[in-house]
Amino acid sequence: MSFSSSDLPPLPDHPRLDLKLAIQDGWRAFQWAPWTLIGFAWLVMVLHLLTNGLSNLLGLLLGNLKPLGPTLDDPSSVVLALVGVVVALVGAALSYAVSLWGTIGLIRGAWWAVEGTPIRFADLCRWDGQAIRRLIPPGLLLGGLSLAVGLLLLLAMQGLMRLNTALGLLPLLAGLGMAIYFMVNQRFLAPLALLQGPGAKATLQLGRERVDPIWGQVFALIAVEGGLILLGLLACLVGLFVAVPLATCIAIAAYRQLFGAVDRTGFTAYLPANLQP
């Protein structure tokens, strides 16, 4: 789908995020289907633990088999090392797939909850290849840009530290500031990619253009979401099952204020039960 600014909802002359209203709408949405959202968040976290634990467990077992590590004169040790690498890569790929799948399900469920649409657990679990293909490129582009900027700042830091240790801290501070800036102005990267689908570059541009004028308000939104996640962590991790879907509902309510309540890709199309894959 090609990107055209005329296809997007008009940006207000003075865009503003009503954080209180977003929290109220998000809380109301969460109350619409709390157990469905909590159950899905629980399933996502369990799958994360399984995929991450699989590679860690097998890596530990392989390490116990060869405590001294692989050596070139021991073919079996080399094979075990290669198996460990493959297992780690497979575990990382599975964990990434779970992250994509979980993000898609939570955003879809939050969107329906905000609109008051009935939510079936199977709808959240549905594998959506088209949505995944829209979600991956913007994330890779943002990650690539962040990596490139980080490498440049690292080189600058090494050069400045040769002149003066204090000067070497400047690129570090600049990197921290840029990380916070990107974290805020790309807060809506996932819903933009899923609901607008303008392409990788345009998704990043649209997020920056619409968030920069209200950067402080979106930063406050992230602080609220972070506070909810922290409370979930403090509640013996069990609170995360509530905090994560609630924070997603609040974020989607905020997204609708800034980008409109239009699904331009059919991402939230409601499938009848007999059409479920």
Side-chain angles (χ1 to χ4, degrees):
M1 179 180 296
S2 61
F3 173 76
S4 172
S5 59
S6 62
D7 295 334
L8 297 171
L11 180 65
D13 293 336
H14 301 286
R16 180 177 179 273
L17 172 61
D18 188 333
L19 183 56
K20 181 180 179 180
L21 180 61
I23 295 174
Q24 291 174 345
D25 289 345
W27 173 244
R28 189 180 303 112
F30 176 75
Q31 289 179 306
W32 176 253
W35 295 114
T36 303
L37 295 171
I38 289 173
F40 183 73
W42 176 86
L43 178 60
V44 172
M45 292 182 191
V46 167
L47 291 177
H48 263 304
L49 291 175
L50 290 176
T51 53
N52 291 330
L54 176 63
S55 59
N56 293 336
L57 176 61
L58 290 181
L60 180 62
L61 292 175
L62 292 173
N64 290 334
L65 289 174
K66 291 292 180 179
L68 297 179
T71 58
L72 294 178
D73 57 349
D74 186 355
S76 63
S77 181
V78 174
V79 170
L80 287 175
L82 291 176
V83 170
V85 171
V86 171
V87 168
L89 291 176
V90 171
L94 289 175
S95 180
Y96 182 53
V98 170
S99 295
L100 293 172
W101 171 75
T103 297
I104 289 170
L106 283 174
I107 291 177
R108 180 179 278 130
W111 184 274
W112 281 334
V114 170
E115 292 193 332
T117 301
I119 303 175
R120 297 183 296 253
F121 191 79
D123 293 319
L124 303 185
C125 297
R126 173 160 54 96
W127 182 264
D128 191 337
Q130 292 183 351
I132 288 177
R133 286 192 290 271
R134 290 196 301 274
L135 187 57
I136 290 177
L140 291 179
L141 179 58
L142 179 60
L145 291 174
S146 301
L147 179 61
V149 171
L151 290 176
L152 290 175
L153 290 174
L154 179 61
L155 292 174
M157 182 175 67
Q158 291 178 342
L160 290 173
M161 288 190 70
R162 295 176 181 177
L163 300 176
N164 185 286
T165 303
L167 288 177
L169 296 177
L170 294 179
L172 181 62
L173 295 175
L176 178 61
M178 293 184 69
I180 295 174
Y181 170 74
F182 282 129
M183 177 188 68
V184 174
N185 77 6
Q186 296 303 320
R187 170 59 189 89
F188 301 104
L189 182 147
L192 275 174
L194 295 172
L195 295 158
Q196 300 283 354
K201 181 180 178 181
T203 296
L204 269 62
Q205 289 177 337
L206 184 57
R208 178 182 57 80
E209 291 172 1
R210 297 213 171 180
V211 170
D212 276 358
I214 53 169
W215 192 91
Q217 296 168 29
V218 177
F219 181 83
L221 170 68
I222 293 177
V224 169
E225 294 177 284
L228 289 173
I229 301 300
L230 179 60
L231 289 175
L233 288 171
L234 293 177
C236 300
L237 299 180
V238 178
L240 286 176
F241 304 143
V242 175
V244 171
L246 175 57
T248 305
C249 287
I250 293 173
I252 291 301
Y255 169 91
R256 290 163 67 96
Q257 289 185 30
L258 299 178
F259 298 93
V262 179
D263 175 7
R264 299 178 180 274
T265 64
F267 169 69
T268 59
Y270 195 70
L271 296 181
N274 60 343
L275 294 181
Q276 287 292 323

